[in-house]
Amino acid sequence: MKPSAPAIPLILGLSLLGASGAYLYMLFKKRRSNATGDLVDFFTRSTSKQDAPVAEIVIPNSLIPLVIGRKGYTLLHIQQSTGASINFVDHDESSQLCRIQGPSQAAVEKAKEMVLKETSRPITITEEVIVPQAACGKILGRCGDELQEICRKSMAKVWLEGRARSETERRVMITGTASQIKVAKELIAQKVREDHDSKKMLADSTRQTREPRIRTPPTSSAPTPVPSDGGMKLNSTSPKICVEKRNSSSFAAGQMEVFVSTIVSPSKFYVQLVGPQSTELDLLVLSMTEYYNQNQNRELHRLRKPYLGQIVAAEFNADNKWYRAEISAILPNEYKPGEVVLDLFFVDYGDNQYTNPNEVYELKPDFLALRFQAIECFLARVEPTQQSNLMPDPASATGEEEWDPVAVTRFEELTYVAQWKKIVSKIVTYRNSKSPLHGRETSPIPGVELYDTAPNGMDQINIAQQLITEGLARPASSEGLNELSRSQLFRLGLTNGADGSSSQSSSIDKVDDVSASSSTSASTVVSSGVHINGTGQTCPKGEQQQQQQLQQSVRYRSLANGAH
């Protein structure tokens, strides 16, 4: 049966419609977006990826190490944290292009933020500073304290190269940020200036401007004479000056220039070595005087409970300057019953002073950097013209009662005591010192020859021989000439080091009441005039009772420098 004419167009239209739909489906697949932004086929549900998001940053070459980090750890951390991939390509001569590609735009933005954060950090660099070799000691400080202070203030890493750059220069390396390196350089330059200034002061110290240290009258009743021209003006009955043909400008082994600061007798006196430490001591006295003249500082260091051997600050009553001192004895005050008085030993000069406890203050630790300067010595190869006993014990004798006052006065004149005139000292022997404290180690006391410059400026005057010539001393008859070893010289501070500095080591021990009272020196005289006899000799009953009372109230310790 043939279709009717009206049905033919309908059938043809349906056929064309189906063919058109199939063609359009094949040409334009119907797609939709999923939640992540990827396209999913409407029928098969398969996913098709979009192009991954990318970000680019131009970074200067100097900042690239900050992004990469040590051994690449920083860059690896950013990639693992964000899932992004980071690559660098050359951009120009001074920068590189950082290309960040990630699974999503959020990951790329996070990675970009972390990269920019790393580039904003300060750059750590290493620079060098060339300093004089002579200033390295000032930069390092004692036990490296000054160098550690530079590192602490600048927050940079500072160190000195182990090998000197040359004989006169050395390289100091500094690692840190630009601001940290700038602060470290300023601190190093300050230390170099301080070293230069101290050396300049030392050079100027050849013209000694130190004021004479006015002391209490010496052991003898005669005052210390003021030296005349050349210091060798003798009376009409005195023999001529004994001059030795020796060039005073050249020093033999063991010789050094010294100041004689305190004299008890030729058997016991104190010297200071001439050198950088002399200038340092003068600066120390000025600093202490300025510091302790302020009331608030004295209140800060008020002495609560003094003890034997304590190092304190005290004002010297003759010049109103402040010095370092050691409490060598605590004695009853004979003018104020029930109170005590402190016997102070000035560790840099060797003299003593009685002081009220409320006028003595704790020593600021900063003032302990310089070692004690007073060195006890005795004049070698001589002895008093009149001996008090046949076999004197040089280790226990103080030298005060053996020498004639006239000889002591003449010795003070020949040595310019506390006038700060340089004389030459030569170590020739020593004697062992005995400490009143059981088991305490002490340093040997050096026996020295002293030489003054003759009026002609070339030859030297042997001071010991001069005393013998004038009949004020005689050659020593039984003196064992023991030579000091190099270690003993260093221990005493009586050796000339490479830097010209030397010092005296001093041990400071706290002594309890029991051990201190049992170790009382056999020749200690208290202010009341009573002699405490520690030799075991019998005394009258009244004196024994008085001594027992004093021993209970008096605590005493002899100094490391010798019997006080």
Side-chain angles (χ1 to χ4, degrees), residues 95 110 174 222 307 327 526:
S95 62
K110 183 178 180 182
I174 310 173
Y307 57 86
I327 301 177
V526 296

Side-chain angles (χ1 to χ4, degrees), residues 91-385:
H91 181 260
D92 54 33
E93 295 181 355
S94 61
S95 62
Q96 294 190 33
L97 182 65
C98 177
R99 192 170 188 273
I100 306 173
Q101 185 176 5
S104 64
Q105 190 64 32
V108 171
E109 291 297 330
K110 183 178 180 182
K112 181 179 179 180
E113 180 183 353
M114 296 179 70
V115 170
L116 293 176
K117 182 178 179 181
E118 293 298 329
T119 58
S120 64
R121 291 192 300 110
I123 305 175
T124 301
I125 57 178
T126 299
E127 295 187 9
E128 66 178 30
V129 180
I130 306 301
V131 299
Q133 175 69 25
C136 291
K138 195 72 174 180
I139 296 173
L140 281 172
R142 188 179 183 183
C143 301
D145 291 343
E146 296 298 333
L147 186 61
Q148 292 178 9
E149 185 69 10
I150 292 175
C151 295
R152 186 187 66 81
K153 290 182 177 180
S154 65
M155 301 300 293
K157 182 182 179 181
V158 185
W159 74 96
L160 273 71
E161 279 195 339
R163 183 175 299 177
R165 186 170 181 263
S166 65
E167 294 182 356
T168 59
E169 294 180 340
R170 197 166 182 179
R171 183 182 287 109
V172 180
M173 308 302 296
I174 310 173
T175 298
T177 63
S179 59
Q180 292 172 348
I181 291 177
K182 181 181 178 181
V183 175
K185 286 183 176 180
E186 293 175 352
L187 294 174
I188 293 173
Q190 180 182 352
K191 294 299 179 183
V192 174
R193 287 194 300 269
E194 290 177 1
D195 180 74
H196 177 268
D197 294 342
S198 63
K199 285 181 171 58
K200 184 179 179 181
M201 292 184 62
L202 178 60
D204 296 339
S205 66
T206 54
R207 304 183 302 272
Q208 281 295 327
T209 58
R210 185 191 287 188
E211 297 179 359
R213 182 176 164 89
I214 305 173
R215 304 184 316 281
T216 54
T219 306
S220 62
S221 58
T224 302
V226 178
S228 58
D229 294 341
M232 294 303 303
K233 184 177 180 180
L234 306 177
N235 54 43
S236 58
T237 60
S238 299
K240 64 179 182 179
I241 301 174
C242 300
V243 177
E244 294 186 4
K245 295 297 181 181
R246 185 178 302 176
N247 191 345
S248 61
S249 62
S250 61
F251 299 110
Q255 288 190 350
M256 64 207 75
E257 289 183 325
V258 298
F259 296 130
V260 177
S261 58
T262 301
I263 287 178
V264 177
S265 73
S267 297
K268 181 179 179 180
F269 57 92
Y270 293 88
V271 301
Q272 296 175 354
L273 297 182
V274 177
Q277 65 274 15
S278 302
T279 303
E280 293 178 12
L281 178 59
D282 294 339
L283 296 176
L284 175 66
V285 172
L286 292 176
S287 300
M288 288 186 60
T289 302
E290 180 181 359
Y291 183 81
Y292 284 99
N293 278 339
Q294 301 180 21
N295 293 331
Q296 63 271 24
N297 293 335
R298 293 200 300 270
E299 287 297 326
L300 183 64
H301 298 282
R302 184 166 294 279
L303 196 64
R304 306 300 177 186
K305 186 177 181 181
Y307 57 86
L308 295 177
Q310 184 178 8
I311 303 299
V312 296
E315 187 178 28
F316 193 50
N317 54 17
D319 59 8
N320 297 325
K321 295 181 180 179
W322 290 80
Y323 301 90
R324 301 184 298 183
E326 180 183 17
I327 301 177
S328 60
I330 303 177
L331 309 172
N333 191 331
E334 60 181 356
Y335 301 104
K336 296 181 179 180
E339 297 185 6
V340 297
V341 64
L342 303 181
D343 187 3
L344 301 180
F345 173 81
F346 291 96
V347 294
D348 296 309
Y349 295 87
D351 43 12
N352 293 76
Q353 174 178 289
Y354 291 109
T355 306
N356 195 305
N358 56 21
E359 297 176 355
V360 178
Y361 299 89
E362 295 177 344
L363 187 67
K364 186 180 178 182
D366 295 353
F367 297 138
L368 278 173
L370 181 65
R371 294 187 178 182
F372 303 151
Q373 298 298 303
I375 303 173
E376 182 183 354
C377 301
F378 67 93
L379 192 61
R381 308 185 193 280
V382 295
E383 62 185 13
T385 55

